Amino acid sequence: MRKLSFLFITILFLGVSCGDNTPSGPSPDDFDRQAILINWSDNIIIPAFRNMSTESAGLRSETESFVQSPTVQNLTSLREAWETAYLAFQHVSMFEMGVAMDLRYRDNLNIYPTNPDEIEESINSGSWNFDLPSLNDSQGFPALDYLINGLAATDAEIVEFYTTNPAAEQYRSYLLDLTLRIETLTNTVLEDWTSGYRDEFVNNSGNGANASLDMMVNDYIYYYERNLRAGKIGIPAGVFSGNPLSTHVEAYYSDGFSKALFMESLTAVRNFFNGDHFDSQNSGESLSSYLQYLQSMKESVDLSTLIDEQFVSAENAAAALSPDFRQQVEDDNTLMLATYDQLQANVVLLKVDMLQSLNINVDYVDADGD
Amino acid sequence: MESTVHTYLSKKRNAAPLAVFRIFFGLLMFISILRFAMNGWIHKLYIEPSFFFSYLGFEWVRPLGDATYLIFIVCGLSALTVSVGYRYRWSIIIFFLSFTYIELMDKTTYLNHYYFVSILSFLMIFLPAQVYFSMDAYRDKTKRFELIPAWTIDSIKLLLGIVYVYAGLAKLNSDWLIEAMPLQIWLPAKYSLPLLGDLFQQVWTHYAFSWAGAIYDLTIPFLLLYRKTRPLAFVLVVIFHALTRILFPIGMFPYIMIVSALIFFDAGLHQRILDYISRLFNIQSQDFNNRRSFEFTNRWKRKTIHFTVGTFFLLQLLIPFRHLLYPGELFWTEEGFRFSWRVMLIEKAGYTDFKVVDPESGRRFYVDNTRFLTRFQEKQMSTQPDFILEYALFLEDYYQQQGITDPEIYVDSYVALNGRPSQPFIDPEADLTRFKPSLKHKNWILPFNDEIKGL
């Protein structure tokens, strides 16, 4: 008995002292998970929001020019600014954390299809409150799409809405308000990240349902599944309804811009997985490198490679698509469905295989086995 | 033989261990219910969802809307009256029924330790846990007894022994012992724990924990039985369950097991615990020591109780082996997995897409599961075939109401088990609306591409 207790205490002591060897930071064998959070925030999230902020300021100033002098030429410049900003948004849309979550940033900037009747109603009534959730679908990029691409068939006719139309002043003011709101919301989110949330995010590096890594991965998969796979491809292709819904494509009124948005968002999602820095050739710690580290403890397929290859397969499938998804859905939906299948295959890898490897729980309740 | 049984059944022991067990069990259950409510889980698990998964034969057990809170109140209060031993027999019956009702409301929340509480409280209905140091005995002198049949204390030891040994036997498989799975997935994720976090990154730690866990489960009931090893065993119990508490979200279970292990100690320890409680609440505990011996006086009643408890244990010994009646890999099909003390054995992740086909129009589309299920329900559904079938049949009903006369439901399903890459789980060609929930083998589960050796 005494011998047993002695042995036991010795083992316990050894166990504790093993952990004690490295009081200052993780041992060299450990993977530094905080480095992922640092790479994400400093090299991906914040630069992407900075860029988004610049582009949304550009969009606002082009809108001001157009509102001051509504010409076909200014309309064309405004469209270009809208496209650049919309592309920039694809790099920040998935980061619905911190104040972005409180503001419901994504819902305010990119709910589509937009609601033209509601927009016209607001414009005719001369008043609108974009803070109302009920107006989510009459603001942001899709509403802009309608107002600069969808009001009429020709540019000259569109410009008339801002010049000779009886409600021209309201049209101008609604348009300007839309871009102001995009800029304000973006700057609020950027400021939140740069004035403290970054540190909070990086320091919340533990494990558990409310840890940054767990929340980010959950949000990331959610975005991939809901907004990218379903929103941009699946819903317009009729995967969830049984019949194609060409009205549900992103940038519906534009002259073939939906594919560019989709490709940009796929790139953003892939870069995030691989830890590729925003707007640079460098890369850092990421889900990919974390998976590589964890796989090293098991003899298994290299999951990070599988996932990255699957992103490429989706890109390749999408390469065959027309720049205008609306047309694609109406002409040959099978190509859309084929792209969907490639995106879907990665949902399985991300949500099943990756979540299993990272051991990230979907939801907190004490019920995981027992 | 018969006389040995007879001698055993008439053996008497001090009633203190069972009384202490009753007090702690009731108290822990009360805290457990309170904690459940305070975490907002009643609402989250039983009010919020619109669909609930049922156990076969218990489809009629459902949450009752806001009245569900009432069941929890009844359950919590009866736990308290069990603890103090007030109208014990009624209290423990009400506790057993309300607790079991709660557990049967939604299969999604199945946990081995909830099942353990259910069957333990069922067993306690037949034990004279109220004859010593209880309100009942305090109020009525004739109901006070210092001695009770030894088997009533031993039955709890036996139940604990079954839980541990079966859990240990279940660990004797190649994934657990040779691959150190699923601990090899779970432990590295606990990197932020002080001291242990770094240790959990080491592969040898995963093996050490796996093997120690199996040895612990298989030996601990025996170490607790013998006086010489008992103190060490109890220290091990505390350390083991404290560790599991730190590592996994398993709520009250560790405390229940630690407190239950006290039943193995001699009455002396329990007397000291009761003395302490007596001093705390100023109770005249000496009044209970009347040298009277409790007997199930009515011969018919005694026989019924012996028979019921005997049958109960026979079932407890057999039910965990029912998986032998099914073909295929148990961890994969989970046919016969529940109610058999397979505790923390598998890490499963899954993804299931339901395809609805209208054979009349040829229209086909996928279902957005989040429309009907919570994320927790969706997670549980995705890896367990009986959930998948039940949900498919629900979808059949739903789309019939939506105007599709005879919808066909197919699933694309992928599951990853214990670190293996995901593989297709359910036959995508099988129209699930053609099947009914039953205990029969589900031949629409695709075979597992690997072999797990073990019991």
Side-chain angles (χ1 to χ4, degrees), chain A residues 33-34 37 97 197-216, chain B residues 191-192:
Chain A
R33 289 156 186 89
Q34 196 174 32
L37 302 177
M97 327 251 323
Y197 185 68
R198 182 262 178 208
D199 292 342
E200 190 188 316
F201 179 76
V202 163
N203 290 327
N204 185 11
S205 62
N207 60 285
N210 296 317
S212 293
L213 193 78
D214 291 49
M215 290 209 295
M216 189 73 236
Chain B
Y191 52 84
S192 56

Side-chain angles (χ1 to χ4, degrees), chain A residues 64-265:
Chain A
E64 273 170 358
S65 308
F66 175 72
V67 163
Q68 273 156 23
S69 124
T71 63
V72 168
Q73 199 192 344
N74 281 348
L75 178 65
T76 312
S77 317
L78 169 56
R79 261 186 209 138
E80 279 167 17
W82 171 77
E83 292 188 355
T84 331
Y86 210 169
L87 289 173
F89 172 75
Q90 304 300 325
H91 287 269
V92 297
S93 179
M94 71 183 117
F95 304 125
E96 195 98 329
M97 327 251 323
V99 82
M101 186 166 64
D102 303 336
L103 292 173
R104 298 171 60 250
Y105 181 71
R106 188 193 299 141
D107 284 358
N108 281 293
L109 265 63
N110 200 27
I111 290 277
Y112 56 90
T114 193
N115 191 336
D117 296 342
E118 206 173 73
I119 295 174
E120 296 290 354
E121 210 182 295
S122 292
I123 287 174
N124 286 322
S125 76
S127 77
W128 47 84
N129 176 6
F130 286 145
D131 288 332
L132 294 176
S134 60
L135 291 195
N136 278 346
D137 58 352
S138 50
Q139 57 177 306
F141 290 104
L144 276 167
D145 181 25
Y146 170 69
L147 287 174
I148 62 179
N149 294 315
L151 286 174
T154 69
D155 288 1
E157 284 172 283
I158 292 176
V159 167
E160 277 171 26
F161 277 85
Y162 300 91
T163 48
T164 54
N165 189 289
E169 201 189 319
Q170 282 106 295
Y171 271 98
R172 292 199 298 266
S173 123
Y174 194 88
L175 190 71
L176 190 57
D177 262 16
L178 284 179
T179 55
L180 271 172
R181 181 156 169 89
I182 292 175
E183 190 187 12
T184 319
L185 290 178
T186 303
N187 287 338
T188 312
V189 176
L190 175 61
E191 210 179 289
D192 179 48
W193 271 98
T194 51
S195 70
Y197 185 68
R198 182 262 178 208
D199 292 342
E200 190 188 316
F201 179 76
V202 163
N203 290 327
N204 185 11
S205 62
N207 60 285
N210 296 317
S212 293
L213 193 78
D214 291 49
M215 290 209 295
M216 189 73 236
V217 170
N218 264 302
D219 280 13
Y220 172 72
I221 295 176
Y222 182 85
Y223 174 80
Y224 180 81
E225 215 184 333
R226 289 288 174 127
N227 299 86
L228 183 72
R229 176 202 63 145
K232 291 179 206 288
I233 303 285
I235 292 172
V239 169
F240 302 97
S241 55
N243 11 44
L245 301 165
S246 65
T247 52
H248 286 53
V249 302
E250 198 175 17
Y252 173 73
Y253 301 97
S254 71
D255 193 14
F257 191 51
S258 37
K259 182 183 174 180
L261 292 171
F262 165 72
M263 295 306 269
E264 195 74 10
S265 120

Side-chain angles (χ1 to χ4, degrees), chain A residues 30 207 226 297 366 369-370, chain B residues 111-112 184 192 198 344 370:
Chain A
D30 285 11
N207 60 285
R226 289 288 174 127
M297 299 202 277
D366 54 39
D370 57 347
Chain B
L111 277 185
N112 281 302
Q184 196 162 160
S192 56
D198 289 340
M344 303 297 282
T370 54

Side-chain angles (χ1 to χ4, degrees), chain B residues 113-389:
Chain B
H113 72 259
Y114 290 151
Y115 171 58
F116 174 66
V117 168
S118 260
I119 58 171
L120 178 61
S121 57
F122 173 78
L123 175 64
M124 284 172 72
I125 294 174
F126 306 98
L127 306 183
Q130 80 287 22
V131 299
Y132 190 76
F133 211 78
S134 70
M135 292 276 285
D136 288 347
Y138 180 75
R139 297 192 315 160
D140 185 348
K141 257 188 180 168
T142 63
K143 289 181 176 167
R144 276 179 216 165
F145 299 93
E146 192 184 347
L147 298 168
I148 52 173
W151 73 262
T152 61
I153 296 175
D154 291 345
S155 64
I156 292 179
K157 295 182 194 169
L158 177 59
L159 188 58
L160 281 167
I162 291 175
V163 172
Y164 274 123
V165 171
Y166 276 69
L169 291 175
K171 288 186 174 71
L172 301 181
N173 68 72
S174 52
D175 268 17
W176 187 272
L177 297 175
I178 299 177
E179 309 288 338
M181 278 293 176
L183 287 178
Q184 196 162 160
I185 295 173
W186 291 335
L187 294 183
K190 306 293 167 188
Y191 52 84
S192 56
L193 279 178
L195 301 179
L196 295 169
D198 289 340
L199 212 56
F200 290 158
Q201 309 308 310
Q202 314 293 326
V203 176
W204 69 262
T205 313
H206 312 149
Y207 281 92
F209 272 59
S210 294
W211 282 74
I215 294 169
Y216 169 85
D217 278 342
L218 287 170
T219 55
I220 203 73
F222 305 104
L223 295 178
L224 282 167
L225 274 176
Y226 295 104
R227 181 193 299 274
K228 282 194 163 182
T229 49
R230 198 174 292 142
L232 171 76
F234 190 71
V235 172
L236 288 175
V237 167
V238 172
I239 291 177
F240 179 83
H241 288 292
L243 259 178
T244 60
R245 179 74 188 87
I246 295 168
L247 288 176
F248 308 115
I250 50 177
M252 297 294 291
F253 187 53
Y255 308 114
I256 297 171
M257 292 313 271
I258 290 172
V259 162
S260 300
L262 286 176
I263 194 98
F264 286 91
F265 282 86
D266 293 332
L269 174 76
H270 299 92
Q271 285 297 353
R272 283 206 295 279
I273 294 172
L274 293 180
D275 285 346
Y276 180 76
I277 298 173
S278 306
R279 264 180 276 130
L280 212 59
F281 295 97
N282 213 359
I283 302 166
Q284 295 301 316
S285 62
Q286 287 315 306
D287 293 358
F288 293 105
N289 295 332
N290 55 8
R291 302 307 299 161
R292 287 178 67 211
S293 179
F294 176 85
E295 210 52 83
F296 293 100
T297 38
N298 181 322
R299 185 180 139 86
W300 180 82
K301 193 174 163 187
R302 184 172 69 230
K303 292 232 156 173
T304 312
I305 286 177
H306 289 165
F307 177 76
T308 309
V309 173
T311 313
F312 169 82
F313 277 110
L314 189 67
L315 286 175
Q316 283 308 319
L317 290 169
L318 291 178
I319 287 171
F321 282 118
R322 74 189 188 283
H323 70 275
L324 295 174
L325 304 173
Y326 292 104
E329 171 51 50
L330 171 65
F331 289 1
W332 184 247
T333 67
E334 295 199 40
E335 292 175 316
F337 190 85
R338 280 185 286 264
F339 315 118
S340 58
W341 314 121
R342 290 166 207 282
V343 182
M344 303 297 282
L345 274 186
I346 51 177
E347 169 60 35
K348 245 180 168 179
Y351 183 86
T352 307
D353 236 1
F354 288 77
K355 184 167 72 181
V356 182
V357 177
D358 179 358
E360 281 174 26
S361 67
R363 204 180 118 203
R364 51 192 57 216
F365 58 90
Y366 284 93
V367 177
D368 177 4
N369 291 331
T370 54
R371 274 182 65 192
F372 306 103
L373 305 179
T374 63
R375 289 173 81 171
F376 179 45
Q377 286 177 317
E378 190 183 5
K379 182 191 151 109
Q380 296 294 87
M381 178 274 290
S382 298
T383 58
Q384 299 177 62
D386 51 342
F387 282 68
I388 291 175
L389 178 60

